[in-house]
Amino acid sequence: MPGAAGDDRPTRLRGERGHRAVPHTADVRIEAWGTSREQCLAEAVLGMVESFADLSRAEAHSVRQLRVTGRGDDDLLATLLDEVVFRLEVHGEVPVHLRVEAVGEVLEVRAAVTDLGRVPVTGAPPKGVSFNELRLAPDPYGWSCAVTVDV
């Protein structure tokens, strides 16, 4: 978890990854970080899911293989999160753990999922991802991203 006042530097200096929700008018703003782009992407997904569901006791019942493509890092982030929103709306499932690997310009995602009905719902589910102030980029500690999720 982040240090005092939302400062994630202590965890990042230890090479840890993580995510958090930050205040935002009417929507949900997620910040995530990791030592690699792929870790950061996985944390962004978990941050989005944890903004509306309690995964603390969740157990996966299935594994889904996803292929995500995009034009640049920001587009990959938005496309991956949109895929999670789509799977939530169509299949009623949420990821509880992810492994993201880059194969060329494609992300190969292995998502361990559970039915939304098996976890406590704590907020409004996402409807989409905003491109406003969306970013995924390397930084002095590895990679970080920020995204606003429409609820």
Side-chain angles (χ1 to χ4, degrees):
M1 300 307 314
D7 185 1
D8 61 15
R9 287 176 294 179
T11 60
R12 298 189 73 197
L13 285 170
R14 291 189 300 269
E16 296 175 14
R17 59 195 208 175
H19 58 266
R20 66 172 166 244
V22 295
H24 190 273
T25 306
D27 293 316
V28 175
R29 182 93 173 143
I30 304 297
E31 294 178 352
W33 57 91
T35 57
S36 69
R37 179 181 71 161
E38 292 74 20
Q39 279 185 351
C40 187
L41 287 162
E43 287 296 326
V45 169
L46 292 175
M48 182 179 73
V49 173
E50 289 177 358
S51 74
F52 68 92
D54 180 359
L55 299 180
S56 62
R57 294 191 176 109
E59 294 184 23
H61 67 76
S62 299
V63 174
R64 304 288 182 241
Q65 302 285 357
L66 311 172
R67 291 179 56 95
V68 177
T69 60
R71 291 183 299 258
D73 294 327
D74 291 350
D75 195 42
L76 282 172
L77 172 61
T79 303
L80 176 59
L81 294 175
D82 277 337
E83 179 67 22
V84 173
V85 171
F86 170 79
R87 298 195 69 78
L88 169 64
E89 291 175 348
V90 173
H91 303 287
E93 59 189 24
V94 293
V96 299
H97 178 71
L98 288 99
R99 187 181 76 218
V100 180
E101 294 180 11
V103 179
E105 298 298 316
V106 176
L107 294 178
E108 296 284 346
V109 181
R110 179 181 162 92
V113 300
T114 192
D115 292 327
L116 182 59
R118 293 184 178 191
V119 297
V121 175
T122 59
K127 299 296 180 198
V129 176
S130 172
F131 279 89
N132 186 35
E133 297 182 26
L134 179 140
R135 72 168 171 76
L136 170 64
D139 65 23
Y141 303 101
W143 282 76
S144 63
C145 68
V147 60
T148 302
V149 178
D150 302 325
V151 293

